[in-house]
Amino acid sequence: MQFTSLKSRISVIFLSLILVIQVLSSIAIKLSIDKNARRSVNQQLEVGERVFLNLLQHNGDSLSVGARILAADFGFKAAIASNDHETILSALVNHQSRINADIAIFYSADQNSLVISENLSETEVSEKIAEVIYAAKNDIQKNNFTIFNNQPYQLVAVPVKAPLTIGWVVMGFEINNSLANTLHKLSNLEVTFISQSGASPWRSTAGTMSMSSSDQIVKYTSIQPALSTNRNLELTIGDVAFGTRYVTIFKNINDSLYVVLQRSIDEATAPFKVLLLNLLILSIVGMLIFIVSILYVSRIVAQPIVELADTAKKLEEGDYTFKVDTSRKDELGKLSSAFSSMRTAIADREKSILKLAYLDEMTGLPNRASFMKELNSAIYQSETNREPLSVLVMNLDRFKQINNVLGHDFGNELLHAVSIRISQVFRKDNDVVARISGDEFAVLLPATSADVAMNIAQKLLQAFEKPIQLDDNFVDITAGIGIANYPAHSNQIEQLLSFAEIAMQVSKAKKCGPVVFDPSFDAGSNVNLTLASELKNSIQNNELMLFVQPKIDLKSRVVTSVEALIRWKHPTRGMVFPDQFIPFAEQTGLIRDITLWMIAEASKVSAQWLEKGISIPIAVNISARDLIDSDFPNKVSEILKSKGSNTSLISLEVTESSIMDDPHRAKQTLLHLSEMGIKLAIDDFGTGYSSLSYLKELPVSELKIDKSFVMHIEDNLNDRIIVSSTIELAHNMGLHVVAEGIENIKVWKFLQEMNCDYGQGYYMSRPIPVSDFEAWHQQWT
């Protein structure tokens, strides 16, 4: 055909050109859609795999927490000790129901007792549970899954200690359709669990697909011996082609459990087939009207296609922040709407995954991983701007006691309330408040020096001066706060946070308010490790020394008693003070030996004084570990007899917090000691968890007001009110009151006016060696 006119030639040329362009554009878009669809499927499979691992981890954590609660239950331990199978089974069933577990097992340490909450073969369970316990002992995670009666379970084993291991509590979730459906809802993937028990053939245990589809997957599994090495397999099931990646998530020693995550490529690309058809129609219409208005077609058709191609590219690169223009009402508008919906869906799905990975569900605050990410970015920004930044770590005091006394639900509510109050203090957009562990919070303060951070930390403590109200309970919150600064202390994120935590530990130990990290703290922690290994031999090597500090009757000025204090005369380090070794002595259990040594020394000294005509009782501090030792009163009695002393010359002091560690056992121990004739006192009163309702039941005769309230009563009205109220309360309960921390005559006179009975402090005497006391006593008299 001949085209003689320039117009027709131009028309033919442009018609041909637009035809070619449209064809090529259609091909390019189809390929791009196919490529993006496959990439999207792969991404969904990867996300699904992470979600599955997180789900198993979450289930495992839930099982572990539940099992530990049961393993720590005193009644459960008592049932084990008495070999009461019915009580053990009842406890297992009740706790299994409470945490929604599917199976609960108790297996004794001597392997002679096995209690199962479900109707399973004891032979099968005992064989396989031994592997789970072995894995728990050796931290082998892959053996946390096993098969009972052809059904796979996820198990967690926790030892029951009293204090040695007397058995194991095993809790488990069944790998069933509920887990598959949960994973399907989170990832929008098809899920199939396949297992093999012994020599039995592979079988579908649970899943979201039809029975016939599951059977085909099982058949495929049986001819693929190494599926765990294959990724992104395309598998045909029935008449539909699936782009499926067959992934082994967890397997036992015999490789008997797989999970198959599947996403249909046809389903992923189906919406775009209609779009391609619409694009073809638009191309035909464009050719018909191209001659009339080539510019119009170019602007209306070609430009949106280019924009959609850019949209597809951005989606491919993972950019979901752009907006797609969906104002058009034609086919391209539908295509734009589809891209916009796809962008929103993918963005929301990734946002949900990120939320699970970086958010603490209980408080709604960022978690540790999120905080470390923000800290890394903030350090980079501070380095660029040459600005400092500070990290503040806060750890609550007595949270363990609150959990034990009021329950974990109350503890969770308290943590949520604490997070709200912290967030009210830090309101800057760039301040980051996070919960990084159980009762530990961290705050990132960009462009903040250590001095400014110290002032902010003081304000944070002031925010907790008002008790937190939860229902009808009022809880006084105190905390240790540590501060580390970039670049003064470190430019490494892990080390910076670690230094802040070390400073926080110093703050808690000294009860001195916020503490800024000092390099000597880190060196001190290394010294503590060495001291810990040497402390055990210090008693046998006669390195411990007994010091005393007098208690004075504030009216008569008579020395009524003395408090026994300990010092460690190290052969190379010199005098080591209690703050340096008592904390890790409590952690390691050596505090029991130290307590018995002090009682023995005090008994010996009191007997020697009595021979010289000095009848002054000696008070010895005891720890929480002593209170939970049911044999402790007998040990004290034996020591008094062996040293020739008597119960009237020895008294014992115990803190509120140590009582509240285990109130029932502490009460029984104190009652036994009181029946022996030993006087008991509450030390550091006012700093522990509020326990007045329990105090009235204890056989104590004396309260010691903590020095933090006494030292500043001359210029602090609140402290005077607290001390005065405490004295009046104690007197109404028939108790004597000792005020610690008297450092000048003004404080003495204030306490006299408040009718305080006894006083103790540097104004009268610092702690002195027991050998120097007689000379001091003569001089004081």
Side-chain angles (χ1 to χ4, degrees):
M1 183 182 295
Q2 298 294 324
F3 298 97
T4 57
S5 67
L6 180 60
K7 181 179 180 180
S8 61
R9 290 180 181 179
I10 293 175
S11 297
V12 170
I13 291 172
F14 278 97
L15 282 171
S16 301
L17 183 60
I18 194 64
L19 179 60
V20 172
I21 291 174
Q22 293 293 347
V23 171
L24 293 178
S25 297
S26 299
I27 295 174
I29 292 176
K30 185 177 184 306
L31 292 176
S32 178
I33 289 173
D34 184 74
K35 180 179 179 181
N36 287 326
R38 290 177 180 276
R39 180 174 283 108
S40 176
V41 168
N42 290 336
Q43 290 176 349
Q44 289 180 36
L45 288 172
E46 293 173 359
V47 170
E49 181 179 348
R50 293 197 296 271
V51 169
F52 178 71
L53 292 176
N54 288 338
L55 189 58
L56 288 183
Q57 180 65 39
H58 174 75
N59 287 348
D61 292 344
S62 299
L63 288 172
S64 182
V65 170
R68 291 184 188 281
I69 292 173
L70 179 58
D73 185 81
F74 179 79
F76 185 68
K77 292 180 181 179
I80 294 173
S82 62
N83 202 23
D84 187 351
H85 279 215
E86 290 185 1
T87 302
I88 295 173
L89 178 59
S90 176
L92 290 174
V93 172
N94 290 337
H95 206 72
Q96 171 187 335
S97 175
R98 189 176 301 119
I99 67 173
N100 294 322
D102 296 304
I103 189 171
I105 301 170
F106 168 76
Y107 197 38
S108 63
D110 58 7
Q111 301 182 359
N112 290 329
S113 178
L114 176 65
V115 182
I116 312 169
S117 66
E118 301 298 324
N119 186 18
L120 297 174
S121 168
E122 290 191 5
T123 302
E124 181 185 20
V125 171
S126 61
E127 290 177 355
K128 297 184 177 180
I129 209 70
E131 299 177 3
V132 176
I133 294 173
Y134 177 81
K137 290 179 180 179
N138 297 275
D139 196 24
I140 303 175
Q141 298 297 326
K142 67 179 182 179
N143 281 341
N144 283 358
F145 299 87
T146 191
I147 297 176
F148 295 138
N149 197 19
N150 294 323
Q151 182 62 43
Y153 288 84
Q154 180 184 3
L155 302 177
V156 168
V158 172
V160 181
K161 297 187 176 182
L164 299 177
T165 299
I166 62 174
W168 291 82
V169 173
V170 181
M171 292 286 181
F173 287 132
E174 185 178 351
I175 306 299
N176 54 19
N177 288 335
S178 176
L179 179 62
N181 290 329
T182 299
L183 182 56
H184 176 69
K185 291 179 181 178
L186 290 174
S187 63
N188 199 27
L189 300 178
E190 298 296 339
V191 182
T192 305
F193 291 101
I194 299 173
S195 64
Q196 183 183 45
S197 178
S200 301
W202 289 92
R203 58 185 295 269
S204 174
T205 303
T208 59
M209 302 184 68
S210 66
M211 183 72 70
S212 60
S213 299
S214 298
D215 290 341
Q216 284 189 263
I217 296 174
V218 171
K219 182 178 179 181
Y220 186 82
T221 303
S222 63
I223 61 173
Q224 294 289 331
L227 286 174
S228 60
T229 62
N230 297 320
R231 311 289 285 183
N232 300 342
L233 298 175
E234 291 192 12
L235 176 63
T236 299
I237 295 181
D239 297 325
V240 184
F242 282 76
T244 304
R245 180 172 50 185
Y246 198 98
V247 181
T248 301
I249 302 301
F250 282 97
K251 58 183 180 181
N252 61 15
I253 296 176
N254 296 320
D255 297 333
S256 60
L257 177 62
Y258 291 93
V259 60
V260 182
L261 306 178
Q262 295 175 308
R263 180 72 167 96
S264 170
I265 291 180
D266 284 352
E267 291 179 1
T269 58
F272 300 103
K273 293 180 179 179
V274 177
L275 299 179
L276 288 174
L277 179 59
N278 291 335
L279 184 60
L280 178 60
I281 295 173
L282 286 175
S283 299
I284 296 173
V285 174
M287 285 187 292
L288 294 176
I289 66 173
F290 181 80
I291 298 174
V292 179
S293 182
I294 184 64
L295 294 177
Y296 179 81
V297 173
S298 175
R299 182 171 61 87
I300 299 300
V301 178
Q303 186 62 31
I305 292 177
V306 173
E307 292 176 357
L308 289 177
D310 291 339
T311 297
K313 183 64 175 177
K314 290 178 180 179
L315 287 175
E316 177 184 348
E317 295 172 351
D319 180 8
Y320 311 116
T321 60
F322 62 90
K323 291 185 178 180
V324 180
D325 182 10
T326 59
S327 60
R328 293 175 61 106
K329 304 301 182 183
D330 56 12
E331 289 81 356
L332 286 177
K334 293 180 181 179
L335 182 60
S336 298
S337 297
F339 269 90
S340 179
S341 298
M342 182 172 67
R343 175 193 67 83
T344 303
I346 296 175
D348 290 344
R349 194 169 293 123
E350 289 207 357
K351 184 179 180 181
S352 177
I353 297 302
L354 289 175
K355 182 178 180 180
L356 288 173
Y358 292 107
L359 190 69
D360 176 56
E361 294 184 32
M362 183 186 301
T363 62
L365 296 177
N367 60 14
R368 188 182 187 93
S370 178
F371 183 81
M372 300 303 286
K373 182 179 178 182
E374 293 290 343
L375 178 57
N376 185 52
S377 300
I379 288 179
Y380 177 79
Q381 189 68 30
S382 296
E383 184 178 8
T384 303
N385 298 336
R386 297 183 179 276
E387 294 176 337
L389 69 82
S390 294
V391 173
L392 183 152
V393 172
M394 184 180 87
N395 185 272
L396 304 182
D397 294 329
R398 305 179 308 280
F399 183 72
K400 177 182 177 182
Q401 289 87 342
I402 293 174
N403 256 355
N404 291 340
V405 175
L406 298 178
H408 288 279
D409 290 339
F410 185 90
N412 292 342
E413 292 180 14
L414 178 61
L415 288 176
H416 183 69
V418 168
S419 69
I420 293 175
R421 190 163 291 188
I422 296 175
S423 300
Q424 290 172 346
V425 175
F426 300 95
R427 296 183 175 179
K428 292 183 180 179
D429 292 338
N430 56 352
D431 290 345
V432 179
V433 180
R435 180 187 177 215
I436 59 176
S437 66
D439 60 344
E440 192 165 291
F441 297 83
V443 182
L444 171 60
L445 300 172
T448 304
S449 65
D451 292 337
V452 174
M454 173 63 80
N455 294 333
I456 295 174
Q458 294 286 2
K459 293 179 180 178
L460 178 58
L461 286 183
Q462 292 173 6
F464 285 99
E465 289 180 354
K466 179 181 178 182
I468 293 177
Q469 181 179 4
L470 297 175
D471 297 329
D472 296 329
N473 297 302
F474 290 85
V475 183
D476 290 316
I477 293 296
T478 59
I481 298 180
I483 300 168
N485 181 262
Y486 165 88
H489 299 137
S490 177
N491 59 0
Q492 303 294 323
I493 58 174
E494 291 285 354
Q495 195 173 50
L496 194 64
L497 183 60
S498 175
F499 286 167
E501 290 176 331
I502 291 174
M504 176 271 295
Q505 293 168 1
V506 174
S507 170
K508 289 176 71 71
K510 295 185 176 181
K511 299 181 180 179
C512 58
V515 172
V516 177
F517 175 77
D518 187 274
S520 63
F521 297 164
D522 194 35
S525 63
N526 293 330
V527 170
N528 284 345
L529 292 175
T530 303
L531 289 175
S533 64
E534 299 173 349
L535 180 59
K536 190 173 183 179
N537 299 323
S538 62
I539 300 176
Q540 299 176 353
N541 296 338
N542 200 28
E543 296 174 6
L544 299 181
M545 297 180 62
L546 192 68
F547 277 53
V548 293
Q549 187 177 29
K551 299 179 187 178
I552 311 295
D553 187 311
L554 295 180
K555 293 181 179 179
S556 66
R557 293 179 173 265
V558 173
V559 179
T560 58
S561 62
V562 296
E563 179 181 0
L565 303 169
I566 192 170
R567 299 292 186 269
W568 181 6
K569 189 176 181 181
H570 195 278
T572 58
R573 303 180 190 277
M575 194 67 71
V576 182
F577 291 90
D579 288 347
Q580 296 175 266
F581 65 89
I582 290 298
F584 59 76
E586 291 178 338
Q587 295 171 6
T588 59
L590 289 174
I591 191 67
R592 292 180 175 178
D593 296 333
I594 292 177
T595 300
L596 295 177
W597 180 88
M598 289 190 67
I599 293 175
E601 286 295 305
S603 300
K604 181 176 68 175
V605 170
S606 66
Q608 293 173 351
W609 284 354
L610 192 61
E611 292 177 356
K612 298 177 181 180
I614 302 175
S615 179
I616 297 178
I618 302 178
V620 179
N621 290 280
I622 60 176
S623 71
R625 287 182 178 265
D626 298 317
L627 288 176
I628 63 175
D629 182 2
S630 58
D631 196 40
F632 179 70
N634 296 329
K635 296 176 182 177
V636 174
S637 178
E638 291 176 3
I639 291 175
L640 294 178
K641 291 179 181 178
S642 65
K643 299 299 181 181
S645 183
N646 59 68
T647 56
S648 65
L649 296 177
I650 296 296
S651 63
L652 300 177
E653 296 182 359
V654 57
T655 62
E656 289 179 273
S657 58
S658 61
I659 294 175
M660 300 313 294
D661 271 354
D662 192 336
H664 178 73
R665 295 174 69 178
K667 178 181 176 181
Q668 297 303 316
T669 301
L670 293 176
L671 287 172
H672 194 169
L673 291 169
S674 178
E675 292 170 357
M676 292 168 53
I678 295 178
K679 292 185 177 180
L680 303 171
I682 299 296
D683 195 12
D684 297 339
F685 185 79
T687 62
Y689 177 72
S690 188
S691 57
L692 291 177
S693 61
Y694 200 77
L695 177 63
K696 64 184 181 181
E697 302 179 10
L698 299 178
V700 297
S701 59
E702 184 176 276
L703 291 185
K704 297 186 70 176
I705 303 177
D706 187 71
K707 64 182 179 181
S708 62
F709 301 107
V710 176
M711 294 175 66
H712 305 294
I713 60 173
E714 55 185 305
D715 51 16
N716 190 308
L717 178 60
N718 289 332
D719 283 350
R720 287 202 295 273
I721 294 173
I722 292 173
V723 172
S724 177
S725 300
T726 303
I727 293 172
E728 183 177 357
L729 171 67
H731 285 168
N732 289 336
M733 298 178 67
L735 305 178
H736 293 100
V737 180
V738 180
E740 298 180 298
I742 301 177
E743 296 191 353
N744 55 59
I745 189 62
K746 292 182 179 179
V747 174
W748 178 302
K749 291 182 177 180
F750 268 114
L751 293 169
Q752 276 185 324
E753 294 173 0
M754 296 176 185
N755 293 321
C756 184
D757 301 301
Y758 310 111
Q760 183 179 348
Y762 286 1
Y763 174 65
M764 293 83 87
S765 173
R766 292 175 176 269
I768 57 178
V770 69
S771 58
D772 297 341
F773 174 75
E774 294 180 36
W776 178 90
H777 186 242
Q778 291 177 358
Q779 181 183 3
W780 175 264
T781 303

